[in-house]
Amino acid sequence: MANSAEPSSSLSYTSSSHISNGSTNHIISASSASENGSSLEIISLSKLSSNLEQLLTNPGIEFSDADIIVEGNPVGIHRCILAARSKFFADLFKRDKGCSEKEGKPKYCMSDLLPHGKVGYEAFLIFLSYLYTGKLKPSPPEVSTCVDNACAHDACGPAINFAVELMYASSIFQVPELVSLFQRRLLNFVGKALVEDVIPILVVAFHCQSSQLVTQCIERVARSDFDNISLEKELPHEVAQNIILLRCKPEPDGEHNTIVDPLREKRIRRIHKALDSDDVELVKLLLTESDITLDQAYALHYAAAYCDPKVVSEVLGLGLADVNLRNARGYTVLHIAAMRKEPSVIVSLLTKGACASETTVDGQSAVSICRRLTRPKDYHAKTEQGQEANKDRICIDVLEREMRRNPLAGDASISSPAIADDLHMKLLYLENRVAFARLFFPLEAKLAMEIANAETTSEFAGLSSSKGSSKGSSGNLREVDLNETPIMQNKRLRSRMEALSKTVEMGRRYFPHCSQVLDKFMEDDLPDLFYLEKGTPDEQRIKTMRFMELKEDVQRAFNKDKAEFGRPGFSSSSSSSSHKDSVKYKIRKL
């Protein structure tokens, strides 16, 4: 009989359901049975996929037998499923039982599993979901788009980086069908992305041995104006050399590329190597020994891209470089710093006169570059009091404030007219003022102090620790260096005063209304509020109430700053929890 040949019981059941009215001549065709069987198979696989997805999405179903730690977050996994779906994990679980705490699940660290690159938390969840369900979920917008409202998100930094992470995970964890899919997706990026955003695609293609993707990327970069020095810094040596050799070949029209002077290139590279070594003194020596200037070497561009922020500050301090110089690609130093997204470098440049409104050839300002490279997850991340703020967000805030701020009128001197012209008194004023700034908006104050190098200078104890000592006291004797001469002490104190002055200047520049409130407080209320714990209970209560009023004044001023800069969604750590204990800790006492 024809039906007896059907191998699947489900298909037999489907066939019998069509026999009616005792008709023995009604036989389902083989094609109809096949279609019904396929349909049932699809339904079964879909049901299986949904059931397995519950292991990842349903918090009430927690039967994972191991954890993989990704960006500090434990992700529960079922080793049997991963071993069945990936040869990498099958081999891993055979040879490595994972580190486990007492009576805890085995743990594997993602960074230990990857020989190169990184796979973020969200990317790993997408990858893991595919292993469990066979379905690839859409990329989460909070990590695969940028915060530039004008961007189509079809080739911005976060979109490319997220695809790069998934490509890397698919290759390292040996899931070939996903490798093919993300290789095609990255190929689509190559033609329309900015050349600097093609670099991470080329790196992952090289490490994943995707020859087609490598070839496409190399051709795109070789045709671009991306400089050879940056190629050597950001690409594997083999890849960079291939691009440089390709550029040396004659153009299709018979013309040769621009011939470079080997001696000049050697001298420029020496300057860059000195910057890599944080040796600005050597840079000065190299400048005197050759006819190369800092601008000709694009030394400030190089330092802003690759060197320690302190090196950038030291190079700026030489006063020999044009802070608004454009490199061969038409990028200013501030544009390069925006790509790096290091707040201290950006602020250092702005304080030395870098113009935030300058645009690239394609019309991008420093702040738009920064926004195009920043994920919504990072931009909107909440920061608790005293915790490190997200650098991407700070960079955008600083650049937007710089573009919108009004020049401050009048003398920006930090000295109050009521303060006597005495070094110790000025220092005491500055220490207390900065202490209050750190209390009310600590993260912003910390950035200002870093730019001013205030944290590297010794804190002034002086009169603030004398606690009733006679006028003219030298301060707390326990903090006095008996080997320090008066000249050395004066030099040290003046260095501290200059750093604190610059810190206050930064606050005035970016938080003018908050600074006005603090100025008024330092003149009118400071003496009374220093002794919150002293006096009668009623006096203490009045002082505490005044301190809380001050907090509200600062917050209103901060909101006013936000409104003027057009930033209603700005989330700062500046609101203080300001319990009495924190006040005692933060405020310097007379």
Side-chain angles (χ1 to χ4, degrees):
M1 292 179 64
N3 285 344
S4 64
E6 295 290 343
S8 171
S9 60
S10 61
L11 294 181
S12 300
Y13 171 79
T14 305
S15 300
S16 64
S17 65
H18 288 271
I19 301 177
S20 60
N21 299 324
S23 174
T24 58
N25 296 325
H26 184 70
I27 301 176
I28 298 177
S29 67
S31 60
S32 176
S34 177
E35 289 176 1
N36 289 332
S38 299
S39 176
L40 185 58
E41 183 177 346
I42 292 172
I43 294 173
S44 299
L45 290 174
S46 179
K47 187 70 173 178
L48 176 61
S49 175
S50 298
N51 290 341
L52 289 175
E53 188 175 19
Q54 294 291 314
L55 296 174
L56 296 175
T57 60
N58 190 340
I61 304 177
E62 174 49 51
F63 300 116
S64 62
D65 59 0
D67 286 335
I68 294 182
I69 310 301
V70 188
E71 294 181 336
N73 301 301
V75 179
I77 61 168
H78 304 77
R79 285 178 290 181
C80 57
I81 296 178
L82 267 61
R85 297 281 281 137
S86 162
K87 185 178 184 301
F88 173 91
F89 284 113
D91 294 339
L92 172 68
F93 299 145
K94 283 180 183 177
R95 70 174 186 270
D96 187 354
K97 302 305 179 182
C99 60
S100 59
E101 301 173 357
K102 292 182 179 179
E103 300 180 357
K105 294 186 294 186
K107 298 182 185 299
Y108 301 86
C109 186
M110 175 63 74
S111 59
D112 294 337
L113 306 181
L114 305 175
H116 307 282
K118 60 160 285 192
V119 175
Y121 177 73
E122 290 81 8
F124 183 63
L125 290 183
I126 294 290
F127 173 80
L128 196 63
S129 175
Y130 175 80
L131 291 188
Y132 277 65
T133 68
K135 299 176 183 178
L136 186 64
K137 288 186 174 182
S139 300
E142 65 269 17
V143 290
S144 61
T145 63
C146 68
V147 295
D148 186 352
N149 294 329
C151 181
H153 308 307
D154 58 345
C156 58
I160 290 174
N161 290 336
F162 194 74
V164 163
E165 289 182 17
L166 284 169
M167 169 75 172
Y168 194 53
S170 304
S171 175
I172 296 300
F173 301 144
Q174 301 177 23
V175 183
E177 66 272 23
L178 278 187
V179 172
S180 298
L181 187 151
F182 286 109
Q183 178 177 274
R184 293 194 300 271
R185 188 171 295 184
L186 291 173
L187 279 170
N188 291 331
F189 285 132
V190 172
K192 53 190 176 182
L194 296 174
V195 65
E196 52 265 25
D197 293 330
V198 174
I199 299 301
I201 300 177
L202 180 49
V203 171
V204 75
F206 174 78
H207 289 309
C208 296
Q209 299 180 350
S210 175
S211 57
Q212 180 184 4
L213 188 54
V214 167
T215 300
Q216 292 286 338
C217 290
I218 285 179
E219 290 178 356
R220 168 69 201 286
V221 175
R223 293 194 306 268
S224 74
D225 54 3
F226 202 78
D227 62 280
N228 290 349
I229 292 175
S230 297
L231 288 177
E232 294 174 354
K233 290 289 291 187
E234 300 182 25
L235 291 174
H237 178 75
E238 174 186 338
V239 177
Q241 290 305 308
N242 285 342
I243 295 174
I244 292 172
L245 290 175
L246 190 61
R247 286 176 168 179
C248 293
K249 294 180 179 179
E251 296 290 337
D253 56 6
E255 295 184 3
H256 289 272
N257 291 325
T258 304
I259 299 176
V260 297
D261 181 355
L263 180 59
R264 177 187 174 87
E265 285 293 303
K266 183 178 181 179
R267 289 173 175 173
I268 290 175
R269 289 177 184 274
R270 282 179 177 174
I271 293 175
H272 292 169
K273 287 182 179 179
L275 291 171
D276 285 334
S277 302
D278 299 349
D279 195 341
V280 178
E281 289 299 319
L282 178 57
V283 172
K284 292 167 62 177
L285 180 62
L286 292 172
L287 292 175
T288 59
E289 292 180 348
S290 70
D291 58 351
I292 302 295
T293 66
L294 285 179
D295 288 345
Q296 289 171 338
Y298 295 116
L300 202 49
H301 287 79
Y302 184 88
Y306 304 115
C307 298
D308 188 276
K310 291 183 179 179
V311 174
V312 178
S313 181
E314 290 178 13
V315 174
L316 286 169
L318 297 177
L320 301 175
D322 180 1
V323 74
N324 288 307
L325 177 72
R326 292 179 179 270
N327 63 12
R329 302 184 62 204
Y331 286 3
T332 67
V333 186
L334 193 59
H335 294 148
I336 300 297
M339 295 178 190
R340 179 176 175 178
K341 297 186 292 182
E342 177 57 53
S344 56
V345 173
I346 289 175
V347 176
S348 292
L349 294 170
L350 292 175
T351 58
K352 289 295 184 179
C355 182
S357 60
E358 292 282 351
T359 60
T360 61
V361 176
D362 59 350
Q364 296 288 317
S365 65
V367 69
S368 62
I369 290 173
C370 225
R371 293 184 72 89
R372 197 181 61 84
L373 294 172
T374 300
R375 308 181 303 176
K377 174 187 176 182
D378 300 324
Y379 185 78
H380 297 295
K382 294 182 179 180
T383 305
E384 298 296 332
Q385 174 78 17
Q387 288 186 355
E388 189 73 22
N390 181 271
K391 288 185 176 182
D392 299 21
R393 177 63 182 257
I394 292 179
C395 290
I396 293 173
D397 291 335
V398 167
L399 288 168
E400 289 192 346
R401 287 175 180 274
E402 180 66 18
M403 292 192 67
R404 292 178 172 86
R405 75 182 183 92
N406 294 319
L408 297 178
D411 184 12
S413 172
I414 51 82
S415 297
S416 165
I419 298 298
D421 187 17
D422 176 82
L423 178 60
H424 282 201
M425 292 302 293
K426 284 183 178 180
L427 266 172
L428 180 59
Y429 170 82
L430 289 168
E431 291 283 8
N432 288 328
R433 195 185 188 289
V434 171
F436 271 99
R438 295 175 70 181
L439 176 63
F440 288 114
F441 34 101
L443 298 176
E444 292 80 3
K446 179 183 177 183
L447 174 60
M449 292 185 72
E450 287 178 351
I451 296 303
N453 292 323
E455 293 185 334
T456 63
T457 59
S458 58
E459 190 172 2
F460 172 62
L463 295 176
S464 65
S465 61
S466 60
K467 295 187 178 180
S469 60
S470 60
K471 186 176 180 180
S473 168
S474 61
N476 190 340
L477 293 177
R478 288 176 298 177
E479 300 184 22
V480 173
D481 183 355
L482 298 178
N483 295 319
E484 187 178 46
T485 67
I487 295 177
M488 293 169 59
Q489 183 190 58
N490 186 271
K491 183 177 180 180
R492 173 174 59 82
L493 295 180
R494 288 193 177 278
S495 174
R496 176 67 174 174
M497 186 174 72
E498 290 175 4
L500 292 175
S501 298
K502 189 174 180 181
T503 300
V504 175
E505 183 183 333
M506 292 296 98
R508 278 208 173 91
R509 182 169 184 171
Y510 295 108
F511 303 97
H513 293 93
C514 287
S515 294
Q516 291 174 12
V517 172
L518 288 177
D519 284 341
K520 186 176 185 304
F521 166 75
M522 294 297 294
E523 292 183 14
D524 298 342
D525 298 305
L526 177 63
D528 291 334
L529 292 188
F530 261 138
Y531 296 102
L532 288 179
E533 78 282 9
K534 294 188 177 182
T536 65
D538 287 341
E539 290 175 341
Q540 292 184 39
R541 180 175 55 82
I542 293 173
K543 292 175 184 178
T544 302
M545 289 177 59
R546 177 62 189 113
F547 183 77
M548 299 305 294
E549 290 174 1
L550 173 67
K551 276 186 54 186
E552 295 175 359
D553 290 343
V554 171
Q555 189 59 51
R556 282 194 294 268
F558 195 83
N559 292 335
K560 190 174 181 181
D561 284 336
K562 289 191 297 181
E564 283 194 0
F565 294 128
R567 296 296 314 284
F570 180 72
S571 174
S572 173
S573 61
S574 300
S575 58
S576 170
S577 57
S578 75
H579 297 301
K580 192 171 181 180
D581 289 342
S582 68
V583 174
K584 294 178 183 178
Y585 176 75
K586 289 285 186 178
I587 302 176
R588 299 188 54 80
K589 301 183 179 71
L590 286 170

